[in-house]
Amino acid sequence: DVKVTQSSRYLVKRTGEKVFLECVQDMDHENMFWYRQDPGLGLRLIYFSYDVKMKEKGDIPEGYSVSREKKERFSLILESASTNQTSMYLCAIQNYNEQFFGPGTRLTVL
Amino acid sequence: RKEVEQDPGPFNVPEGATVAFNCTYSNSASQSFFWYRQDCRKEPKLLMSVYSSGNEDGRFTAQLNRASQYISLLIRDSKLSDSATYLCVVNGAGNNRKLIWGLGTSLAVNP
């Protein structure tokens, strides 16, 4: 079974803090994704990566950056957290066209 | 027009009922179609892929209608444990790595 882990299930940060969300997969998949999910807006793609050191912007990259230094790890960075970044963050890997998700990180920015 | 549209529901059905969801997509070039299930405050999980010929997995049947650009999910003999949000997903045109997600249809199966 594919296993995708995320560093925290719940996180509370203050406005202006730098926030790191980590995602690790154990199956050597090339494609990894970061989404956020909000009520009424569904899943929105922030960034994705299809190889080490490669990244592409998704639909809502503003206020975020990513890092993929190793194949198994894809990090999402909030350079200066804001209250409108309070959300559920979901990491996914892709196997052919199917995506498999980590358990999610529920981030609250105060 | 949204790229992927679903009726948000909620659908409230008694145990044992048959319920069907439809989903329409706008890009005729889409090639891959999926249904995901998401429980409250959990991550989405793949329920089934949707193939051109239609496919069945136990009580679940998925159909694709390319001419009308919609996919459907039929659940027979509903169980309480089927209560969840069902997400329709379609691959984006020209880039199979990106998926386009519907907002989901909420199902509540009642005793």
Side-chain angles (χ1 to χ4, degrees):
Chain A
D1 278 357
V2 175
K3 190 169 182 185
V4 182
T5 58
Q6 294 184 230
S7 48
S8 306
R9 293 298 301 272
Y10 299 93
L11 207 54
V12 179
K13 295 292 182 181
R14 296 206 174 273
T15 301
E17 281 193 75
K18 191 168 185 175
V19 182
F20 292 86
L21 303 181
E22 303 285 340
C23 175
V24 179
Q25 52 128 338
D26 66 348
M27 292 291 289
D28 204 35
H29 292 287
E30 293 173 343
N31 299 332
M32 298 185 74
F33 301 77
W34 273 107
Y35 293 89
R36 63 178 283 178
Q37 187 175 29
D38 302 285
L41 297 176
L43 270 83
R44 292 182 291 167
L45 182 63
I46 305 171
Y47 268 97
F48 66 104
S49 168
Y50 50 88
D51 206 346
V52 174
K53 297 192 185 295
M54 306 298 284
K55 61 184 179 184
E56 286 194 30
K57 293 180 180 179
D59 301 317
I60 52 162
E62 297 79 19
Y64 303 94
S65 61
V66 289
S67 171
R68 186 125 182 241
E69 296 297 318
K70 294 184 178 180
K71 196 170 190 179
E72 67 271 18
R73 188 180 297 268
F74 189 34
S75 303
L76 180 69
I77 303 154
L78 288 66
E79 296 289 342
S80 178
S82 62
T83 54
N84 63 13
Q85 292 178 310
T86 291
S87 186
M88 169 73 117
Y89 289 88
L90 290 157
C91 174
I93 61 92
Q94 187 154 315
N95 184 23
Y96 298 98
N97 281 324
E98 297 173 356
Q99 290 190 356
F100 298 90
F101 288 83
T105 296
R106 192 165 291 278
L107 172 67
T108 301
V109 183
L110 301 176
Chain B
R1 181 184 172 187
K2 289 182 183 174
E3 291 183 90
V4 177
E5 288 200 76
Q6 297 181 248
D7 180 345
F11 285 62
N12 283 285
V13 303
E15 270 187 291
T18 295
V19 61
F21 309 135
N22 282 338
C23 163
T24 59
Y25 61 95
S26 61
N27 194 325
S28 59
S30 295
Q31 295 294 321
S32 301
F33 309 89
F34 308 92
W35 284 102
Y36 278 72
R37 171 200 169 118
Q38 186 171 24
D39 294 297
C40 188
R41 303 182 80 82
K42 298 286 185 111
E43 74 273 22
K45 292 185 178 177
L46 179 67
L47 179 65
M48 56 200 307
S49 302
V50 186
Y51 304 119
S52 297
S53 56
N55 47 304
E56 187 173 312
D57 183 2
R59 298 182 293 108
F60 298 84
T61 301
Q63 297 277 356
L64 168 64
N65 184 318
R66 286 191 185 274
S68 300
Q69 291 181 210
Y70 77 83
I71 67 173
S72 63
L73 178 68
L74 182 78
I75 305 175
R76 289 181 298 278
D77 189 23
S78 299
K79 310 290 184 194
L80 296 177
S81 56
D82 293 335
S83 298
T85 297
Y86 291 84
L87 301 167
C88 170
V89 189
V90 176
N91 77 296
N95 185 346
N96 285 332
R97 287 186 287 257
K98 285 179 64 175
L99 299 181
I100 312 299
W101 295 77
L103 296 184
T105 297
S106 175
L107 171 66
V109 180
N110 304 306

